[in-house]
Amino acid sequence: MDAADALTLLMSPQGRIDPYPTYERLRAHGPVVEAGPVFYVVTGYAEADELLRDPRLGVMDDAIRDGLWPGWRDSPAVTSISRSMLRTNPPDHSRMRRLAAGAFSPRRIAGMRDVVTAQAQELVDAMVERGDRGEPLDFLADFAYPLPVGVICALLGVPAQDRPLFRRWAADLTGVLEPEITPDELAVADRGAAELRDYFTDLVRARRRAPADDLTSALVQVHDADGERLSGDELLANLVVLLVAGFETTTNLLGNGLVVLLAHPREADALRGHPDLAPAYVEELLRYDSPVQLTTRMTTEPVRCGGLDLPAGSWALLLLGAANRDPRRYPEPARFDPWRAQAQPLSFGAGPHYCLGAGLARLEAQVAFPLLLRRLPELALAGRPRRRTRLTLRGYDTLPVTLGTPAVVDRGTPAGARPGTP
């Protein structure tokens, strides 16, 4: 199969649901392959890492977007994404990122561990109560969504009663992040974007009247003091992206990770008894089945990578999920191995666009998985989980589970000594 055919397969519903076999078909052509005129696909770890950090590559700017998609300014979804730090280049990207970075500093995140733990405990308690009543449980709806959305909403100052609104709005909007989108899918994304922008327009008004100790208030104050530092469009766009990115990726990390752990009972038992292993487990889960599978960059100058010359104006499709399974970087990459040395996956990117909330997502997963395994030792899938037909943000639509007999609540279980490598 040539590279163009493999790329077509990757974009098909079958390819999106399970991209890993297609990644290997693409990898057979080399770590960087020319898949079309000035269009390159990257599957190699070293090559993807290099291009993510290279200042000669950037994301699509307005001028390029105008040439490729003349009507993009009429799309609420595209404008919401394009006006945020997610899809801007320096100096605008650096300016906007600095304004929000304080809320995601390592010290601030470390200080949130007790809050995250308490929220996770409450969600498990609620799952146990529902299970005792014989009610069906869905891990996504009952745990993997409410935990991260609760955390990011607390940071942004979103009232708790509004949190259930965001799951559909975000699911609709994030369709615009896919490498290909139909007019019908764009219409759905536009609906989600418009609803999110309307919500944050109201929240901004509320915070302007009554500031609080939250990130929304801080950004409103920056905008009101100096519109050159943060315009009105940028304020709303970044609030939308911070909310969506703040839980969508983590929800998928928790859902994908649980399925992997349940399929590897020996490894799950080790983590259950030794929660101090959680950081290594989370890195391997990120590598093994990344919640973010791809990103794109464009060369502003000629670049040589992977033995190929990429002219200025070339597009690079960086397949992060493939890079995380590059056998040159990870021996036996299709094997889940939480004892793997120096995982360092590219799931959160690298370079100037490295995910601002990566530390927070890691913390939530490091807290959640040992807690779930300890409190719910008989946790199991209750049916076949249904994958979303998306490639960029990889996750499940539904994840039905059964609890069996939950363990007696023990919230003071100490971390044990590290077990030997299996």
Side-chain angles (χ1 to χ4, degrees):
M1 179 178 290
D2 65 23
D5 288 341
L7 192 60
T8 299
L9 175 60
L10 185 64
M11 299 304 162
S12 70
Q14 174 189 354
R16 291 170 188 246
I17 288 175
D18 183 10
Y20 296 108
T22 311
Y23 290 158
E24 298 313 309
R25 291 186 174 99
L26 286 163
R27 195 189 313 281
H29 296 278
V32 181
V33 58
E34 186 172 7
V38 295
F39 180 57
Y40 299 82
V41 178
V42 182
T43 58
Y45 179 97
E47 292 76 14
D49 186 54
E50 175 186 338
L51 293 176
L52 286 167
R53 299 175 189 274
D54 194 322
R56 296 172 295 176
L57 284 85
V59 297
M60 184 189 303
D61 60 22
D62 285 357
I64 297 169
R65 200 175 285 110
D66 285 337
L68 295 176
W69 197 348
W72 70 271
R73 296 173 193 271
D74 297 326
S75 165
V78 179
T79 53
S80 290
I81 297 297
S82 67
R83 288 291 172 262
S84 74
M85 68 183 84
L86 185 66
R87 291 287 173 87
T88 50
N89 294 305
D92 289 337
H93 170 265
S94 309
R95 167 178 55 80
M96 287 186 276
R97 187 181 176 99
R98 278 194 299 269
L99 296 175
F104 299 93
S105 68
R107 182 177 179 181
R108 180 79 179 267
I109 290 170
M112 296 178 67
R113 179 174 288 272
D114 288 346
V115 173
V116 172
T117 301
Q119 289 193 22
Q121 292 276 16
E122 290 174 4
L123 290 170
V124 172
D125 290 344
M127 289 176 68
V128 172
E129 291 176 4
R130 292 191 60 195
D132 287 345
R133 294 195 298 266
E135 298 176 17
L137 294 169
D138 185 286
F139 179 71
L140 296 180
D142 294 321
F143 189 95
Y145 169 73
L147 178 63
V149 83
V151 172
I152 193 62
C153 284
L155 278 175
L156 290 172
V158 171
Q161 65 268 22
D162 293 342
R163 295 171 189 173
L165 299 170
F166 299 119
R167 189 177 182 188
R168 180 182 65 78
W169 292 349
D172 290 347
L173 170 62
T174 52
V176 81
L177 299 176
E178 290 299 302
E180 294 182 353
I181 186 168
T182 67
D184 287 345
E185 290 168 338
L186 180 59
V188 171
D190 284 339
R191 181 186 65 192
E195 290 170 321
L196 281 163
R197 286 178 68 89
D198 287 347
Y199 179 87
F200 277 109
T201 298
D202 291 341
L203 184 62
V204 164
R205 291 194 187 107
R207 288 297 177 267
R208 188 169 280 128
R209 291 192 301 267
D213 183 19
D214 57 48
L215 184 54
T216 298
S217 296
L219 294 178
V220 169
Q221 289 166 10
V222 169
H223 165 67
D224 290 352
D226 184 0
E228 294 296 319
R229 292 182 65 199
L230 189 69
S231 72
D233 285 345
E234 290 170 344
L235 170 62
L236 290 175
N238 281 293
L239 288 173
V240 168
V241 165
L242 285 168
L243 173 77
V244 172
F247 75 81
E248 183 78 14
T249 300
T250 309
T251 294
N252 291 341
L253 168 58
L254 294 173
N256 295 350
L258 181 70
V259 172
V260 174
L261 289 172
L262 294 180
H264 294 82
R266 185 185 183 195
E267 288 78 4
D269 283 343
L271 180 58
R272 179 181 293 110
H274 302 275
D276 57 303
L277 295 173
Y281 269 68
V282 170
E283 295 309 293
E284 177 66 354
L285 289 168
L286 285 165
R287 183 204 69 82
Y288 184 79
D289 197 12
S290 175
V292 180
Q293 290 283 312
L294 64 86
T295 188
T296 58
R297 293 291 187 271
M298 185 175 186
T299 59
T300 57
E301 301 176 30
V303 173
R304 184 167 179 80
C305 184
L308 297 180
D309 292 315
L310 283 62
S314 297
W315 283 103
L317 178 65
L318 308 175
L319 296 175
L320 306 178
N324 285 341
R325 293 199 180 192
D326 184 347
R328 299 175 304 160
R329 179 68 173 78
Y330 303 108
E332 298 182 79
R335 180 168 64 92
F336 175 65
D337 178 10
W339 286 266
R340 194 181 294 276
Q342 297 181 336
Q344 297 179 326
L346 293 176
S347 307
F348 293 115
H353 278 272
Y354 182 75
C355 177
L356 191 61
L360 184 57
R362 285 185 165 102
L363 170 64
E364 292 176 55
Q366 289 167 14
V367 167
F369 288 127
L371 172 64
L372 288 161
L373 293 172
R374 188 176 73 250
R375 291 280 313 278
L376 306 172
E378 296 182 30
L379 181 66
L381 297 179
R384 184 177 180 85
R386 187 174 72 238
R387 279 280 186 191
R388 299 166 70 179
T389 54
R390 296 233 179 129
L391 180 58
T392 302
L393 298 180
R394 178 169 167 78
Y396 291 93
D397 277 327
T398 60
L399 200 53
V401 293
T402 182
L403 304 185
T405 304
V408 175
V409 175
D410 177 5
R411 299 186 178 180
T413 303
R418 183 185 181 96
T421 302

